[in-house]
Amino acid sequence: MATTNPMPRLPAGFLWGVSTSAHQIEGAADERGPSVWDVFTAEPGRVRDGSTAAVACDHVHRHREDVALLADLGVDAYRFSVSWPRVRAEGGLDFYDRLVDDLLAAGVRPVPTLFHWDLPADLDWLERDTAERFAEHVARVVARLGDRVTKWITLNEPAEHTLLGHALGVHAPGRTLLFDALPVAHHQLLAHGLAVRALRAAGTFDIGIANSHGPTWPASDDEADVAAADFYDTLLNRLFADPLLLGRYPEGIGGLMPGDVEADLKIIAEPIDWYGINYYAPTRVGAPQGGEIEFGGVRMPAELPFSVREIAGHPVTGFGWPVVPEALTEVLTVFADRYGDRLPPVVVTENGCAYDGLDDTDRITYLDGHVRALHRAVEAGVDVRGYFVWSLLDNFEWAEGYGRRFGLVHVDFDTQRRTPKASYGWYRALLREQRG
Ligand code: IFM
């Protein structure tokens, strides 16, 4: 259960929000071009329940109802993503235009993410040119929305898009390139840097990125386990953060990247105004164990130089992820120590959990624990400026289909009926309390 101790106050001006992404909620697939996710989900066996996101939460047609839920919830900000395939379609930007107007009219600040994995199906992150195409997409979106939108996110979790989509093949586009997927990381980083330039050229000044991070704990003190955990930490916590914040790749990685990396790093390290961290759970990592293993629904090939292990002694979410709020304090303080004054203010751009049911006390316990953990990081001196719950609505959870419910609001996918869960009431009350 959530503790009954009063929740400590986060500093004045702290931004409270919720997050979603286009492919996971929008539906209206026939009103936009195809993305790599449409191609992927059409292939048998790719999604656990065989579903697609063609309708999802039908948000494009029901966004007014969803904006009313946001207003009633009382969030300061709503993080959504702009679908690149929709922007390319005739009239596609009209939807975001209406959404932004409706959000502002409801007193909710729009915070768009410009890429959340739904790459147009004819593009490919293995191609450097995709970074240039992304900058054009960004310029188009900011030209239309930049008069009303002031806070922007370039990319969501390029690490997952690289690892799950291109190295391990469990997400779109389903490639199994292992370390040959690294150019995908570089091209997304380059795309980010070019996007920052495009946004600045349009006069915007409040720009961030949402990267997934979490503590990596070695399976034991054994040298081989520690080395494997360090390597995993480099992939998850440094591969994207070092180039963005320090202008260089972690040792040993730069040589694996394509193109004129030194020149690109200058673009990648364009200053940003804040750094987004998506945190869900820590990872325990040890030396390879030989043979393919399955972890959290992901098949990990034997060639990997590490193996992911169970974290015992903690409750787990409906997804089987360990619930460890103190690991959020840890990742925030480690980042502040590691990057010092190179780290701009931080925003927790995603945090949440999958549980079934409307009376979701487990989710309340999870969120309550994590907000307190965030507060401990603030007390320890980390400059954290916002917190976004993942997610407003139950939605299409990628390769898991509709079986993992992350929403504060339950969605009946047969009728599209929205029903606020107990956690929605809890978050609403928290926000009121925080504002005194
Ligand atoms: O649903 C995803 C989201 O798209 C990216 N971050 C993690 C969430 C939960 O798995």
Side-chain angles (χ1 to χ4, degrees), residues 24 116-117 156-157 280 321 350 390 397-398 406:
Q24 292 176 272
H116 193 126
W117 304 351
N156 178 72
E157 297 182 3
Y280 288 88
W321 298 353
E350 281 183 28
W390 182 272
E397 176 57 24
W398 308 110
F406 278 87

Side-chain angles (χ1 to χ4, degrees), residues 172-231:
R175 289 203 174 103
T176 49
L177 296 171
L178 296 182
F179 289 98
D180 289 340
L182 282 172
V184 169
H186 184 70
H187 294 150
Q188 286 180 90
L189 281 166
L190 181 61
H192 157 86
L194 293 171
V196 173
R197 289 186 173 178
L199 288 166
R200 297 253 186 254
T204 66
F205 57 89
D206 196 355
I207 306 170
I209 184 169
N211 272 328
S212 56
H213 294 299
T216 305
W217 296 336
S220 76
D221 292 341
D222 190 88
E223 215 178 293
D225 284 338
V226 172
D230 273 358
F231 183 70

Side-chain angles (χ1 to χ4, degrees), residues 341-416:
D341 59 11
R342 306 299 288 269
L343 182 69
V346 171
V347 174
V348 174
T349 30
E350 281 183 28
N351 178 236
C353 48
Y355 288 110
D356 288 340
L358 288 174
D359 189 14
D360 55 345
T361 44
D362 285 334
R363 189 181 332 272
I364 295 174
T365 305
Y366 179 101
L367 297 174
D368 179 278
H370 284 78
V371 174
R372 289 175 197 275
L374 184 157
H375 181 263
R376 282 194 290 279
V378 171
E379 272 184 328
V382 188
D383 186 2
V384 190
R385 303 271 179 99
Y387 175 80
F388 287 68
V389 173
W390 182 272
S391 180
L392 173 66
L393 303 170
D394 290 339
N395 58 48
F396 178 74
E397 176 57 24
W398 308 110
E400 296 291 319
Y402 294 98
R404 308 292 185 193
R405 293 182 174 269
F406 278 87
L408 298 176
V409 176
H410 178 272
V411 177
D412 177 328
F413 293 106
D414 293 327
T415 62
Q416 291 297 341

